[in-house]
Amino acid sequence: MNLRATLTVPTRPVVAPAPRSADPPSEARVGVLYATAAYGLWGVFPVYFKLVATVPALEVLAHRIIWSLVFLLGLLLARHRLRGALSVLRDRRTLITLGLTTLLIATNWLLFIWAVTHDLVLQASLGYFINPLVSVLLGFLFLRERLRRWQTAAVVLAGLGVGCMTLLAGQFPGLALYLAVSFGLYGLLRKVARVESLVGLAVETGLLTPLALGFLVTQMIRGQAVFGAGSTELSLLLMLAGVITATPLLAFTAAARRLRLATLGFLQYLAPTGHFLLAVLAFGEPFTRGHLATFACIWAALAIYSIDTLKGARRTPAVTPPTLE
């Protein structure tokens, strides 16, 4: 954003500036490209986990943690940010908060991996569609954020969608609700912790790495580890888990610096939409009338929420998103 000096008093009448030639692509357009890349990559995550579906979910999670830490440490070193990450470890309150977020994100990752390998991508997509509404509710309950009338209607409609899944589809969407609530709580605690995204994720994976290494070593001693014992291609895919985890995160942080939070809110639906389309069109998961009624309620709730958010953004002066790098 360009800032014009306003301290000098003009000594002659102000003349309108001459028309300028077209500007190069704006920061906002670049931000949209980064956000689309981030949410688009998250949207095709199930494809990767389908490729490693023969590996137990816990072993996939362990590799995701370890290789993510390796990749993130390389990034921190390249950006001269390692000292900042180490300083977080000396802040007891922040460390406790990150300990809680570590548990939440680890179980969220594990359940998502499990869902993909057990043909439950459709229910996982439902969870991430519900997530924005859960975040609104958590903000109301814990941050004393005011719940506007249409936001209340959206949350109630989402609850109706959960009821439809239970009654019409014959299954309580426990997996979807856990994914939504755990990620909502993760976002809430990370907001309270006020730790930049890259450093925070590095600390979280660092806290999990001893457990992940211990698990993998135990599996190797027992002769049950897939890594190194199976095909070379499968081992390489497991090593890529770190890059696959961190790349969309970096694209997201670049987008967050350039876009309004309301714009990010709209684009975030790309990820569960990708999950939904993959589940129905690529993986052949059943989509019944019960599922249709459930998703119709959730999509209607998101439409109400999005329109209300857009109106609120128009009434509020533009605010630069927090720096995440």
Side-chain angles (χ1 to χ4, degrees):
M1 181 175 64
N2 294 325
L3 298 177
R4 296 182 178 179
T6 58
L7 297 178
T8 303
V9 179
T11 58
R12 58 183 178 180
V14 178
V15 180
R20 297 184 303 172
S21 59
D23 290 333
S26 67
E27 285 290 283
R29 293 193 190 100
V30 175
V32 168
L33 291 176
Y34 275 121
T36 302
Y39 289 119
L41 288 170
W42 279 323
V44 297
F45 255 24
V47 174
Y48 169 77
F49 293 116
K50 282 288 186 182
L51 292 174
V52 295
T54 56
V55 184
L58 272 175
E59 185 170 347
V60 175
L61 176 64
H63 282 286
R64 188 176 185 184
I65 292 166
I66 293 168
W67 297 113
S68 291
L69 179 62
V70 171
F71 186 68
L72 291 168
L73 286 177
L75 289 175
L76 288 172
L77 284 170
R79 298 183 180 188
H80 307 287
R81 307 293 290 278
L82 187 58
R83 183 175 298 179
L86 294 175
S87 67
V88 172
L89 299 177
R90 295 191 288 270
D91 186 332
R92 182 180 178 184
R93 183 175 180 178
T94 301
L95 191 58
I96 291 174
T97 303
L98 289 179
L100 294 174
T101 62
T102 297
L103 293 175
L104 287 168
I105 199 63
T107 52
N108 186 279
W109 283 0
L110 177 61
L111 277 183
F112 183 76
I113 295 168
W114 183 87
V116 173
T117 56
H118 287 76
D119 299 323
L120 293 172
V121 178
L122 191 61
Q123 193 171 156
S125 75
L126 176 64
Y128 289 113
F129 274 124
I130 295 174
N131 174 248
L133 303 174
V134 169
S135 296
V136 169
L137 186 59
L138 290 173
F140 169 74
L141 294 175
F142 295 102
L143 301 179
R144 297 181 180 180
E145 295 178 354
R146 188 169 64 89
L147 204 60
R148 296 192 294 270
R149 179 179 59 183
W150 288 111
Q151 287 180 329
T152 302
V155 171
V156 171
L157 196 53
L160 182 61
V162 172
C164 287
M165 176 69 83
T166 304
L167 297 176
L168 300 179
Q171 60 179 126
F172 179 73
L175 173 65
L177 288 177
Y178 184 82
L179 288 173
V181 173
S182 63
F183 203 71
L185 287 171
Y186 174 79
L188 175 69
L189 290 174
R190 283 298 300 269
K191 181 175 181 177
V192 173
R194 297 185 181 279
V195 177
E196 54 188 313
S197 183
L198 181 60
V199 170
L201 186 61
V203 172
E204 288 165 348
T205 52
L207 292 175
L208 287 168
T209 293
L211 293 175
L213 280 173
F215 172 78
L216 287 180
V217 169
T218 301
Q219 291 295 94
M220 289 177 181
I221 293 173
R222 292 176 177 175
Q224 298 175 352
V226 176
F227 182 78
S231 67
T232 303
E233 292 80 4
L234 191 56
S235 295
L236 289 173
L237 280 172
L238 290 173
M239 292 179 66
L240 282 174
V243 176
I244 290 171
T245 297
T247 299
L249 175 67
L250 294 175
F252 173 79
T253 60
R257 294 200 319 270
R258 295 170 170 86
L259 295 177
R260 296 174 65 98
L261 295 181
T263 305
L264 282 175
F266 291 126
L267 292 172
Q268 72 180 325
Y269 303 134
L270 288 174
T273 299
H275 300 164
F276 175 84
L277 293 175
L278 284 171
V280 176
L281 301 178
F283 303 149
E285 294 186 19
F287 188 68
T288 65
R289 291 182 179 179
H291 288 98
L292 179 59
T294 298
F295 277 91
C297 288
I298 299 301
W299 289 333
L302 290 175
I304 293 171
Y305 164 76
S306 298
I307 293 171
D308 182 72
T309 300
L310 181 60
K311 289 181 177 179
R314 287 175 176 174
R315 291 192 297 265
T316 305
V319 177
T320 304
T323 301
L324 297 177
E325 282 194 349

